[in-house]
Amino acid sequence: AIAPSLFESELFGYVGGSFTGAQKEGKVGFFEAANKGTIFLDEIGEMPLSLQVKLLDFLQDGTFTKVGGTKKQKVNTIT
């Protein structure tokens, strides 16, 4: 039960100062927190299409870029 406008920052995290109201130290997202673990995804079809594209990229190679970030990060998760 995540608001659609927050999906990306909750799943992938964000770097500090990337948007108004962002914590200055940034935030770890669910995928980074699940490193070397398991993450369960449900109702993917209900996510915004733009996020589904980013999710597919993550599922294919295990990498993602935080909101406001420029570097790809790699994690090892079971999805």
Side-chain angles (χ1 to χ4, degrees), residues 5-25:
S5 60
L6 298 177
F7 272 133
E8 189 173 0
S9 64
E10 289 295 319
L11 293 177
F12 302 114
Y14 60 83
V15 296
S18 57
F19 54 88
T20 302
Q23 300 172 7
K24 65 179 177 181
E25 65 274 1

Side-chain angles (χ1 to χ4, degrees), residues 22-72:
Q23 300 172 7
K24 65 179 177 181
E25 65 274 1
K27 181 179 178 185
V28 172
F30 293 147
F31 289 129
E32 188 175 359
N35 191 25
K36 297 184 182 173
T38 303
I39 190 161
F40 177 77
L41 302 170
D42 192 21
E43 302 291 336
I44 293 170
E46 300 299 318
M47 291 180 182
L49 291 176
S50 60
L51 186 60
Q52 289 182 33
V53 171
K54 292 179 181 186
L55 181 59
L56 178 60
D57 287 341
F58 170 76
L59 293 172
Q60 288 177 334
D61 63 11
T63 63
F64 65 93
T65 304
K66 289 184 172 190
V67 174
T70 57
K71 293 184 179 181
K72 283 200 169 229

